Amino acid sequence: MLLLATLAEAIERPDLTGSWRLVLDVATQADIPVLGTTRIRTVQVMLVDVAVSPAGLWARHDTCSLEAETQPSIATTSFPAAFVDAIPSKEYLVELTPSGSGWGVHMDLGSVALGYDPEVGGFPSALQAPGVIDWDHDGAPAATIQITVPLFGMVSVYRAQTSRAVLDGRVTPAGQVEGAVTVSELQQRTLGASSRLFIQNPEVRSDPANSRFTMQRVPKGSTCLSVAR
């Protein structure tokens, strides 16, 4: 009887309702002429609220911060506050399934379009494309990121991107959620820049083997200011 009770306790459905700090650590690779393969690591921090809905567990997140690192480190990429603020909030199901002696978690965060409006036009190939908008409301077209390079200083790059992140992980004994990130629908294009030398479009591909996520509980009422890196 003790063994049965222990097993039942081990597979008891966890309660994931509440507030969480979700960190997506996503790796991509780009093939750049002369330099070869460049590895990009993007870390996105979100504040997530999980609640029970008629459809099941339902999550809503807001992006709090976004950082990127490249190897080799030939330039520094930064995302202005206007860029981070413009990333749309997302809502999605949190699917829990028994997995061995624990529970697996699946979350499809859905597609995110940056720098253009997919309802107006398809993925753009030029600034003049119908769907290109001032997405981050900074007075420049598309989505503006900033790249700092020795000798050139800071350059504004106007970019369009679409991607879809799917999270598959598990609830740990400590009550966290962690696992792998798969990025699909990945398209990225530089449409313009404050220096024409930076209008380049190397092939970019996801690196799922080096992409991870973690979710940690945070107190109710937490804000982006308290969870951002």
Side-chain angles (χ1 to χ4, degrees):
M1 292 295 293
L2 178 60
L3 176 61
L4 292 177
T6 300
L7 290 174
E9 183 180 8
I11 63 172
E12 181 180 357
R13 184 181 179 89
D15 180 8
L16 299 186
T17 59
S19 298
W20 298 79
R21 181 180 187 264
L22 170 60
V23 180
L24 298 189
D25 190 340
V26 176
T28 54
Q29 296 182 1
D31 295 326
I32 299 178
V34 181
L35 296 176
T37 299
T38 297
R39 294 171 174 81
I40 304 104
R41 178 188 175 208
T42 304
V43 178
Q44 184 175 356
V45 179
M46 287 96 89
L47 179 61
V48 185
D49 287 312
V50 179
V52 176
S53 76
L57 279 179
W58 196 252
R60 181 187 187 279
H61 80 236
D62 291 302
T63 296
C64 299
S65 66
L66 184 63
E67 298 177 357
E69 297 178 357
T70 60
Q71 292 293 332
S73 183
I74 57 175
T76 301
T77 300
S78 59
F79 301 92
F83 185 107
V84 177
D85 291 343
I87 298 173
S89 302
K90 300 293 288 184
E91 297 184 353
Y92 42 89
L93 281 171
V94 179
E95 300 178 42
L96 273 170
T97 55
S99 176
S101 61
W103 288 82
V105 179
H106 174 82
M107 294 179 287
D108 183 342
L109 307 193
S111 298
V112 179
L114 311 179
Y116 76 106
D117 185 348
E119 295 185 0
V120 175
F123 190 78
S125 59
L127 283 176
Q128 298 75 26
V132 176
I133 56 174
D134 179 4
W135 175 81
D136 44 12
H137 307 290
D138 66 348
T144 304
I145 66 171
Q146 294 172 341
I147 298 177
T148 302
V149 183
L151 301 181
F152 289 93
M154 189 176 70
V155 178
S156 294
V157 174
Y158 313 124
R159 182 171 291 172
Q161 178 178 303
T162 186
S163 63
R164 183 184 197 123
V166 177
L167 281 51
D168 286 289
R170 64 183 183 90
V171 182
T172 70
Q176 295 186 174
V177 183
E178 60 184 30
V181 181
T182 302
V183 177
S184 61
E185 303 177 14
L186 178 60
Q187 296 184 81
Q188 181 176 288
R189 188 165 187 85
T190 296
L191 303 175
S194 58
S195 170
R196 291 187 59 83
L197 292 174
F198 290 82
I199 305 177
Q200 299 182 17
N201 287 288
E203 178 188 356
V204 178
R205 57 189 179 277
S206 63
D207 181 5
N210 292 298
S211 299
R212 306 290 296 172
F213 80 92
T214 58
M215 284 178 65
Q216 295 177 305
R217 283 195 180 275
V218 293
K220 182 179 180 180
S222 294
T223 65
C224 264
L225 187 62
S226 63
V227 303
R229 291 185 65 173

